Structures are given as C-alpha cells and as structure tokens.
Amino acid sequence: GSWTVLAAEDEEVPLQSSTTSSGSTRARLTTVVLGHMKGTRLATLLRFTFSSRPVPSYLAWTSVEGCDVGGDLTLRKQRPSASGFRTECTELAFSSTPLADSSSATARSKQSLARLNATMAGPALISTLSLSEQRRGFMRMSRFDWPGATLGDAGSRSLQDWYPGGISGANEAYADQLWAWFKDYASRQADGYQNDLSIEDGPIAEFEPASAPMVK
C-alpha cells in the first residue's frame, strides 16, 4: 500500500552534560512521520527521529534516549546487552492515547491528517527501537498500529484486553505478528546504524542540483 508523508520537522532539544564543561546543551533532532491509511482511517504510522548534526563530546543523549513513548502497558521488551558506549532498547507497548505529545512533528501530523480528511481513532500498539552512541548520535523509530483499523473496534478499546495475562485470540496473534516484524526490522536498523557515511575527509558535501544527482 501507499504511505503519505505527514510531517518532517526539526527541533532543538536539551541534552544532559556529562561534565561541568560550558557551552551549548542543545542538539538538533529531525523527525519524519509517514502514515498508511485504510480508506480514510489512519491504520499505521511510522515515526523516525534522528540527530542530524554532531554534538560536543561532553554531551550525552540521556534526556532523549530510551523506548518510553507514553505507553500505558508494556507487552514485549528487549534490551540487548550493550557496550559501555551504546544504549539500545526495543519495546512493544499499548497506548490508550497515542500521539498525545506536544512535539512539532505530532502537531504537523495532525494538521496533515485533517487536510486529508483522515481520522485517527482508538488506542494503538507502539513498537519502538532506540539507539544512541556518542559518535553516531541518536536514532529512534516508533511504529504505531491501530488495532481497531484491522480487528475492529469492539475488541480493542479496553486496556484489559491487552494485559499479558489476559490477552488472547486475535489480539494475541496481532501483538505476536507486530513483535515478530519489529524484531526483524530492529536487526536491520541496527545494522544500518553502524553504516555511517565517512566524514574522515571533512563534512559531507551537499547534493548537486537535480540535473546532476551525485554526491561528492
């Protein structure tokens, strides 16, 4: 199916200083949001957030890293053992109020949905992968899936329907399917995170004009 770009936003966020060094404590993060519809209803949303510029070595990503995206209930969690310089987590959670944050990317996404006459209704399952390192920076991908758009609203409105001890039937199969997909995706994104473009020879050059789409 087709995906629609709902938002592409830059924002400045505060970072935690790991020393007493003075200087800027803010970094630029870029967020890109894609939406997939079923008719006029938002069924799935992909949200990618990543650092687009280097930050000083005395700053840490502690204030933004992690998998917590406001979920009410964690269904699955995987926190791979990481070396001292990387933080990584993968999580599937249930949220009764998805996209409730006040970020500019969320606001822009809602504006885009309104212009498309699209609706967003009910709770969502949110799959999140967060990666951060001092050298490679920060990357987080969150996938929002509205079970009501696939399973129907009757069996997906209540938080109790998703508790680990009570989840069953179509709800359990749905969660298992999402988790299997996301674990496979997470391994691919982790590999991609390793593959930085080389900057040993200086800053990466800008793209050439459209008539010559080459990277120097």
Side-chain angles (χ1 to χ4, degrees), residues 118-148:
T119 59
M120 179 186 69
L125 299 187
I126 308 176
S127 311
T128 303
L129 169 65
S130 176
L131 297 163
S132 59
E133 286 184 11
Q134 184 61 57
R135 185 173 71 85
R136 290 191 172 92
F138 171 76
M139 176 187 288
R140 178 169 59 212
M141 182 274 199
S142 293
R143 170 175 169 164
F144 295 67
D145 287 277
W146 279 263

Side-chain angles (χ1 to χ4, degrees), residues 58-216:
Y58 61 82
L59 294 179
W61 295 101
T62 309
S63 59
V64 294
E65 67 191 4
C67 283
D68 182 13
V69 290
D72 301 313
L73 177 68
T74 299
L75 304 180
R76 309 279 192 278
K77 181 182 291 187
Q78 182 177 339
R79 297 185 182 275
S81 57
S83 58
F85 64 88
R86 175 186 289 193
T87 299
E88 179 178 349
C89 64
T90 308
E91 184 174 286
L92 174 63
F94 172 91
S95 175
S96 58
T97 55
L99 298 182
D101 63 274
S102 59
S103 69
S104 59
T106 292
R108 180 75 68 181
S109 297
K110 291 179 178 179
Q111 292 171 5
S112 297
L113 290 170
R115 286 197 298 269
L116 294 168
N117 292 320
T119 59
M120 179 186 69
L125 299 187
I126 308 176
S127 311
T128 303
L129 169 65
S130 176
L131 297 163
S132 59
E133 286 184 11
Q134 184 61 57
R135 185 173 71 85
R136 290 191 172 92
F138 171 76
M139 176 187 288
R140 178 169 59 212
M141 182 274 199
S142 293
R143 170 175 169 164
F144 295 67
D145 287 277
W146 279 263
T150 301
L151 305 178
D153 290 316
S156 60
R157 289 188 180 276
S158 173
L159 176 63
Q160 283 72 25
D161 293 333
W162 299 96
Y163 273 110
I167 188 173
S168 62
N171 286 3
E172 184 174 24
Y174 186 71
D176 288 342
Q177 181 182 14
L178 290 178
W179 186 239
W181 179 90
F182 203 74
K183 284 198 300 182
D184 179 66
Y185 173 83
S187 66
R188 298 171 190 271
Q189 180 166 315
D191 288 342
Y193 183 71
Q194 295 284 114
N195 295 330
D196 285 351
L197 295 175
S198 174
I199 56 173
E200 294 178 357
D201 298 325
I204 299 172
E206 297 291 335
F207 283 100
E208 296 289 347
S211 58
M214 301 291 288
V215 178
K216 294 180 180 178

